Amino acid sequence: MGLSGFVTTSLVICAARSTVLAGTERTSVAGRSERAVPTVEIFTPALTSKCLEGEGFIQVVEMNVTNMDSSKYLTASHGLTVRVDSNSLDTVIPGVVKRLAPRQSQLVQVGVKNRSGVPAGTQCNAAVVASAGQSESRATANVTGVCGIGNYEASVASLRHHTSPDWFNNAKYGIFIHWGVYSVPAYADTAAGFTAEWYWFWSHYPAKSKMYEHHEKTYGRNFNYDDFISNFTVAAFDPKEWVNLIADAGAQYFVPTTKHHDGFALFNFSSSISRRSSIHYGPKTDIIGKLMAAAKQYQPSLRRGTYFSMPEWYNPASAKYSWDPWRNGYVAFPGGPPKNPYSNQVVPYTGYVEIKDFITDIQLPQMRQLAYEYDTDLMWCDPGGPNNATIFASEWLNWARDHGRQVTFNNRCGGSSGLAGDFDTPEGKTNNEIVARKWESCQTLDPHSWGYNYWTPDGAIHTGEWIVTSLVDIVSKNGNFLLNIGPKHDGSIPDIMQKNLRDAGQWIKAHGESIFGTRYWNTTAGTGSLRYTTTTNAFYIHYIGTPPSTINIVDPVPYLPGDTVTVVGGSKNGSSVPVNWNGIGTLKLNLSSDIISADKYVWTFKIGYSAQ
């Protein structure tokens, strides 16, 4: 079986560091008749850090294959395959291109293995070759990089070549969970734009936030933030119900908050560095451990991530690492010790253990604990700041390789070090256009807060329709969607959040083939109500909102007569859709009233490529 455009499974990590040779030499596959192969060229070939599951390590080589012809289509009948020729590598799984409209390109993947006697991590040269059938027509492009699985070093230069693995690229949709001591007061000054998980910080600034006034009136001046810990009971926390809800929502991974900026951790680690955790105070239990165990037992297909706050607001050991990313008069991470905001007197930092250095003695050991003892697939750092992330990431990636796994980390782990991570994380927003570098939009079901906010009415919670339309839009632009929920202090998830997640999940599961494992169409994400996703064998058209009886598509979708056009999802799933087509950019879908009434939120149609 050939690979083209995407990989469906990916469990082994490779440490390939690749560059494209300047002035890459190319020759072209040239068409000589109407049925001849159109002119094709190969652009941006790269030996990637990704591998495929298989016998031994199968490294992925990626490139863009472009149909340079202005009028001819490339189809499956041309038999175009892509391989890698090298003295150091053997092609194990060739790439296949089944459809390229004129002037369009596709990401293609080829699986390779080091030849016998070529050590992992060898710097090598290769030629990527696209060939059509038995003819001599071909396109080539040279590439150099690291062949096989070498070691990452603790440097930005080394780690920048790691990219998001294909399990993450394919997963598309995850659930974010903000839950901690801040879920007890559960209050946010939303009019000022503040969120509940920042309750402790903003209660120090009466001129900026009503949280100061709210805390005084509700709890009194002598009630310190850490006094909330005893009320963080988690009495209704059921990890099985949580992971089943995530699966019902249609999500493929989840990312719980293991420690937020208040420094109160929900996982276990050595008490010689800190006792500020749910192990020693509050519920006195390993919350993250129970959640991960439930996922493995009841929903083993879910990928498991971990959110981790790099700094702590008021840890006494972090004073020398005071960090001010805002530069607006409010130092976001001032360091400790904490003070009562009304008396300005120093108060205890519950569970604090005196150590020499915050980064080396708390931050780095806690990250290692999550990586190795909690088996995380994804390290979701926040928000950056001083760190030893290059040490952590290099160790973790090398460990993952040795254990046959692929893992990933976001752009916030590096902070000021310049470590870009595997993907970007726009917060509370999306991108308006396609972004080629992998990204993940993190947004929250409560539009006013990440942590649970008691004052948000049910009617303000985002609906199932909003979830679905957001997901389709984000995926069409090469993004993942990480959607946040905020459980209550006792571990119960608000009914309205459960209802809306499951409502969206019904649509997502019914239309999963058009979302999961797809890639964006690099011609355009779509215009107006239209969005697009692609696979090797099909092209998906998404119409956001109730469609008209005729959908006129002026975008140059790669349809040809002989292709099948069918409904995806809804009660008319698999039904044929009549079309009119007079050349590229003129496709019309003719919808019956039965098809229009058969679905909700987003209507999806599949162009199945013919073999001709």
Side-chain angles (χ1 to χ4, degrees):
M1 179 180 292
L3 293 174
S4 176
F6 67 97
V7 182
T8 55
T9 58
S10 187
L11 299 178
V12 182
I13 196 160
C14 291
R17 304 173 184 88
S18 60
T19 58
V20 180
L21 287 176
T24 298
E25 178 185 351
R26 299 189 185 94
T27 60
S28 299
V29 176
R32 288 175 291 277
S33 70
E34 193 61 28
R35 292 190 58 81
V37 182
T39 302
V40 172
E41 288 194 8
I42 298 169
F43 294 92
T44 61
L47 287 152
T48 75
S49 63
K50 297 187 284 191
C51 280
L52 309 180
E53 182 182 14
E55 183 179 348
F57 295 99
I58 301 178
Q59 185 180 5
V60 173
V61 181
E62 287 186 338
M63 73 293 303
N64 283 290
V65 176
T66 301
N67 179 356
M68 303 300 292
D69 202 287
S70 61
S71 60
K72 296 176 183 176
Y73 280 71
L74 178 76
T75 69
S77 65
H78 291 119
L80 187 74
T81 60
V82 185
R83 69 179 189 275
V84 174
D85 288 346
S86 172
N87 292 328
S88 303
L89 297 167
D90 286 322
T91 295
V92 179
I93 305 176
V96 176
V97 181
K98 294 188 176 181
R99 178 66 57 85
L100 274 179
R103 299 293 187 183
Q104 293 183 18
S105 64
Q106 178 179 318
L107 179 69
V108 177
Q109 295 182 324
V110 178
V112 299
K113 292 182 68 173
N114 281 28
R115 289 188 171 182
S116 177
V118 178
T122 298
Q123 189 78 12
C124 62
N125 300 314
V128 179
V129 181
S131 301
Q134 302 300 316
S135 73
E136 294 300 319
S137 299
R138 60 169 52 192
T140 64
N142 295 329
V143 62
T144 188
V146 173
C147 295
I149 306 159
N151 278 322
Y152 283 97
E153 300 172 354
S155 69
V156 172
S158 176
L159 293 166
R160 70 184 178 189
H161 296 295
H162 189 264
T163 59
S164 57
D166 276 328
W167 73 256
F168 180 78
N169 300 337
N170 292 334
K172 308 300 184 186
Y173 181 39
I175 298 298
F176 215 178
I177 306 169
H178 274 68
W179 189 42
V181 174
Y182 45 83
S183 305
V184 178
Y187 174 81
D189 181 7
T190 57
F194 300 127
T195 53
E197 72 285 355
W198 278 69
Y199 182 92
W200 192 11
F201 180 85
W202 286 116
S203 65
H204 287 75
Y205 298 100
K208 189 73 173 176
S209 167
K210 292 181 180 179
M211 293 179 181
Y212 178 97
E213 179 182 346
H214 170 83
H215 186 89
E216 180 182 14
K217 288 183 177 180
T218 308
Y219 305 105
R221 286 175 166 250
N222 294 322
F223 191 97
N224 296 311
Y225 178 83
D226 280 1
D227 293 330
F228 287 123
I229 293 174
S230 61
N231 292 317
F232 184 52
T233 63
V234 309
F237 172 52
D238 187 332
K240 178 182 177 181
E241 287 187 0
W242 277 31
V243 297
N244 286 343
L245 173 62
I246 293 167
D248 288 347
Q252 306 296 297
Y253 63 104
F254 65 96
V255 182
T257 301
T258 67
K259 184 185 75 171
H260 204 259
H261 311 326
D262 61 2
F264 190 84
L266 308 186
F267 64 102
N268 194 20
F269 44 84
S270 173
S271 59
S272 66
I273 63 171
S274 175
R275 294 173 60 85
R276 189 175 177 80
S277 75
S278 63
I279 304 297
H280 300 286
Y281 299 96
K284 295 185 178 179
T285 189
D286 186 352
I287 292 170
I288 298 301
K290 289 182 176 180
L291 185 60
M292 296 301 193
K296 290 180 181 180
Q297 180 177 357
Y298 301 110
Q299 299 294 340
S301 64
L302 288 175
R303 293 283 184 164
R304 304 174 300 276
T306 46
Y307 168 104
F308 179 79
S309 175
M310 307 288 276
E312 296 178 19
W313 281 319
Y314 304 118
N315 190 308
S318 66
K320 72 175 183 178
Y321 294 112
S322 176
W323 182 48
D324 184 16
W326 295 341
R327 303 185 186 280
N328 63 358
Y330 297 90
V331 179
F333 298 93
K339 295 181 179 180
N340 181 297
Y342 306 98
S343 67
N344 204 36
Q345 297 298 307
V346 172
V347 296
Y349 194 63
T350 302
Y352 176 68
V353 173
E354 188 170 349
I355 45 89
K356 292 181 179 180
D357 184 84
F358 175 77
I359 291 176
T360 59
D361 297 339
I362 295 181
Q363 183 192 92
L364 184 57
Q366 287 183 338
M367 293 178 74
R368 285 170 171 161
Q369 188 77 356
L370 291 171
Y372 307 130
E373 299 301 324
Y374 288 82
D375 213 23
T376 186
D377 294 308
L378 187 164
M379 185 63 75
W380 213 100
C381 303
D382 188 41
N387 63 80
N388 275 337
T390 55
I391 295 174
F392 165 76
S394 59
E395 293 175 348
W396 187 37
L397 295 180
N398 293 334
W399 174 88
R401 171 206 59 208
D402 293 342
H403 287 77
R405 294 179 54 199
Q406 283 203 100
V407 294
T408 189
F409 60 101
N410 70 356
N411 62 318
R412 305 188 189 195
C413 292
S416 57
S417 71
L419 181 62
D422 295 340
F423 58 95
D424 295 329
T425 52
E427 182 172 321
K429 59 184 178 181
T430 183
N431 286 312
N432 294 326
E433 303 292 341
I434 291 170
V435 176
R437 172 173 156 85
K438 189 62 187 177
W439 58 282
E440 177 192 61
S441 172
C442 52
Q443 301 189 54
T444 180
L445 206 51
D446 178 345
H448 304 302
S449 186
W450 299 84
Y452 175 65
N453 180 15
Y454 176 81
W455 301 95
T456 301
D458 284 359
I461 300 299
H462 283 308
T463 64
E465 180 176 8
W466 177 88
I467 296 170
V468 169
T469 56
S470 297
L471 175 64
V472 170
D473 178 68
I474 289 166
V475 170
S476 74
K477 298 169 183 174
N478 193 36
N480 279 20
F481 187 25
L482 185 62
L483 178 62
N484 178 74
I485 59 174
K488 298 179 181 180
H489 74 282
D490 62 359
S492 61
I493 297 172
D495 290 342
I496 187 63
M497 291 188 178
Q498 295 191 49
K499 175 180 178 293
N500 293 355
L501 284 173
R502 288 193 168 97
D503 178 45
Q506 291 179 351
W507 187 98
I508 292 167
K509 289 183 176 183
H511 301 75
E513 70 168 90
S514 68
I515 300 294
F516 305 119
T518 64
R519 290 294 178 266
Y520 67 97
W521 184 37
N522 57 17
T523 300
T524 177
T527 54
S529 297
L530 292 166
R531 298 293 184 272
Y532 309 108
T533 53
T534 70
T535 67
T536 303
N537 299 306
F539 186 92
Y540 295 93
I541 300 167
H542 306 272
Y543 193 94
I544 298 174
T546 304
S549 58
T550 300
I551 300 177
N552 294 298
I553 304 173
V554 298
D555 296 317
V557 300
Y559 171 84
L560 280 175
D563 292 345
T564 59
V565 181
T566 55
V567 175
V568 176
S571 61
K572 301 297 287 184
N573 180 55
S575 298
S576 296
V577 176
V579 303
N580 298 112
W581 185 79
N582 293 312
I584 193 165
T586 66
L587 182 64
K588 294 182 179 181
L589 307 184
N590 301 306
L591 309 183
S592 67
S593 58
D594 287 345
I595 289 176
I596 293 173
S597 62
D599 215 337
K600 62 180 182 179
Y601 306 153
V602 177
W603 277 249
T604 301
F605 308 95
K606 175 183 179 179
I607 299 175
Y609 300 144
S610 70
Q612 301 302 314

